[in-house]
Amino acid sequence: MSSLPKRWIEPTSSLSEDRLQQFRALGLRDIVARILYKRGFDDPQEAVNFLRAETYASQPFNRKTQLKDLEKAVERLLRAIDRKEPIVVYGDFDADGVTSTVLMVEVLRALYHRRHKDVPDEVTEQMVRPYIPNRVDEGYGLNVQALEKLASEGAKVVVTVDCGIRSIDEVLAGRAAKLDMIVTDHHSIGPELPDALAVINPKQSGCPYPEKMLAGVGVAYRLAEALTVAANGKGWAKGEPPLNLEAYLDLVAIGTVADLAPLNSAENRALVKRGLMILNRAERPGVSALLKVAGVEPGTVTATTIGYAIGPRINAAGRLADAMIAYELLAARDEATAEARANQLQELNVQRQELTRNAQLLVREEIEPQ
């Protein structure tokens, strides 16, 4: 079936001829300039910067734009690594939460290795562990029983990703269990903040960070960035290649798009644009395997691919089974594990689609006249 013919109607705007000339001088066509102008980009250079989306790094310790409580979180996490105190990354079970968990676990393990070069990988993996609750048994967010169990197993620090901002009682329970609680989240703020050691959420009052609409994985990435800068300042990277945070932008792109974070945000757009470049290289075994089962060729991945092919398969794990399947896919180091987990996600996604179709049929039967 051929697509319907389209007739583009150019928007009218109050853009002056002089300002339009400035847009043209920067290489923008008139229609693009008018659209951007109507969307609030009245400065031509800002409009070009938005389109190019080249700036994705930040200055984490710039006091004028620093995420509130960032330094507290960085200090405690690096101290835990230095003292070999076990850390748990507690995530959510959707695509944003899973990608946030993989990113934070991998960065903390990499920093642990730089601080303790003689420690075997299997020990590092025990010192920095992921925890993603079961959606049916434990529900969304922090769980008191889970926190108490983690404490009994020796955990000293729990850092949440994509959850925890409204877990007031649960954070108190974690503290009672002698856990140092660090909450990183992007969801809306409730009537009160959890009484954690550190709360990182750009939406909270008094946070000067300019981008308020980061996804959970975007917040996790900014914390990872700060941790890396601080660890380098301590000399932990001496004799090691620098930690390449760009390699984690594929996770940032997946979580940001799948969670419907707005891409008219310059920062989200920049993170996703760069993340798509990493995704299209498919160097992560889990990404390569997931693209294969989804029938997507590396090099053709777009934000639409994430929204309709990658995101739903990752989300299917947490909704129908266990989100750790998706975690193990994205964290896989070998092709065999990645392929096995990708096939599991494919089967779960088929089940999800069938359940959705059946629900649609039931609704149609209820509302259509007999």
Side-chain angles (χ1 to χ4, degrees):
M1 180 184 295
S2 61
S3 60
L4 293 173
K6 299 178 178 64
R7 182 167 64 91
W8 294 97
I9 301 174
E10 189 170 337
T12 58
S13 74
S14 57
L15 183 60
S16 70
E17 183 61 29
D18 288 345
R19 183 56 62 88
L20 188 58
Q21 287 289 357
Q22 294 175 24
F23 278 96
R24 290 170 182 160
L26 292 171
L28 294 185
R29 295 172 59 193
D30 289 4
I31 187 170
V32 176
R34 290 192 177 101
I35 290 171
L36 289 170
Y37 185 79
K38 285 185 71 69
R39 293 191 177 190
F41 291 95
D42 56 353
D43 181 281
Q45 189 59 59
E46 287 184 5
V48 170
N49 292 342
F50 171 77
L51 284 180
R52 290 176 179 167
E54 292 175 347
T55 303
Y56 60 90
S58 71
Q59 298 176 303
F61 297 112
N62 181 340
R63 292 304 176 96
K64 293 182 179 179
T65 59
Q66 187 179 96
L67 282 161
K68 189 175 181 180
D69 279 2
L70 182 70
E71 290 188 20
K72 292 180 183 178
V74 168
E75 189 279 330
R76 183 63 185 96
L77 287 167
L78 293 188
R79 179 154 48 93
I81 292 172
D82 190 45
R83 296 179 178 179
K84 298 184 179 180
E85 296 175 329
I87 302 169
V88 173
V89 178
Y90 195 117
D92 189 20
F93 40 67
D94 66 358
D96 190 16
V98 172
T99 52
S100 300
T101 306
V102 176
L103 186 156
M104 189 55 58
V105 167
E106 290 191 354
V107 169
L108 287 171
R109 284 177 176 174
L111 293 176
Y112 194 96
H113 171 73
R114 279 160 172 71
R115 183 68 184 96
H116 306 289
K117 296 179 177 62
D118 57 332
V119 174
D121 287 347
E122 55 268 24
V123 174
T124 300
E125 290 172 4
Q126 287 302 309
M127 298 304 293
V128 180
R129 294 190 294 142
Y131 188 90
I132 301 178
N134 183 282
R135 179 173 185 163
V136 176
D137 296 338
E138 299 176 85
Y140 167 78
L142 291 172
N143 179 277
V144 171
Q145 288 73 31
L147 291 172
E148 290 174 345
K149 184 173 187 295
L150 292 171
S152 71
E153 293 170 348
K156 297 299 181 185
V157 181
V158 170
V159 53
T160 77
V161 286
D162 191 37
C163 64
I165 198 63
R166 296 199 178 210
S167 299
I168 308 301
D169 294 339
E170 291 81 1
V171 167
L172 287 176
R175 290 186 57 192
K178 307 301 182 186
L179 293 170
D180 280 341
M181 303 293 298
I182 297 172
V183 172
T184 80
D185 202 349
H186 72 117
H187 293 101
S188 298
I189 307 297
E192 62 179 306
L193 291 175
D195 188 16
L197 175 72
V199 176
I200 301 177
N201 184 328
K203 292 187 175 77
Q204 67 179 304
S205 175
C207 180
Y209 196 77
E211 178 52 68
K212 306 300 182 183
M213 297 304 292
L214 287 172
V217 71
V219 177
Y221 183 78
R222 292 311 184 199
L223 174 57
E225 191 177 46
L227 285 165
T228 303
V229 170
N232 289 346
K234 291 176 176 290
W236 288 11
K238 195 172 183 179
E240 293 277 348
L243 185 60
N244 180 21
L245 283 182
E246 264 199 29
Y248 302 99
L249 287 173
D250 56 349
L251 300 173
V252 177
I254 292 171
T256 298
V257 174
D259 213 54
L260 303 179
L263 296 186
N264 60 355
S265 143
E267 184 165 345
N268 284 338
R269 180 177 167 82
L271 290 168
V272 170
K273 180 182 178 183
R274 188 62 191 172
L276 285 170
M277 294 173 65
I278 309 298
L279 267 175
N280 274 298
R281 296 207 290 262
E283 295 172 348
R284 187 180 293 271
V287 166
S288 178
L290 195 57
L291 294 180
K292 184 177 180 180
V293 298
V296 176
E297 287 292 326
T300 67
V301 179
T302 65
T304 300
T305 311
I306 296 173
Y308 289 94
I310 297 174
R313 285 170 171 81
I314 294 174
N315 280 327
R319 290 172 179 168
L320 297 182
D322 187 342
M324 285 303 293
I325 299 171
Y327 174 91
E328 290 168 3
L329 167 83
L330 294 175
R333 297 179 182 177
D334 61 273
E335 293 181 3
T337 301
E339 183 178 347
R341 297 296 175 267
N343 287 332
Q344 283 182 276
L345 292 187
Q346 177 67 7
E347 292 173 5
L348 289 169
N349 193 52
V350 170
Q351 291 178 35
R352 179 194 63 79
Q353 291 171 328
E354 184 64 27
L355 288 169
T356 301
R357 281 192 292 269
N358 290 340
Q360 289 172 335
L361 288 173
L362 287 172
V363 171
R364 187 172 289 115
E365 289 173 0
E366 288 292 328
I367 64 176
E368 287 182 349
Q370 300 298 321

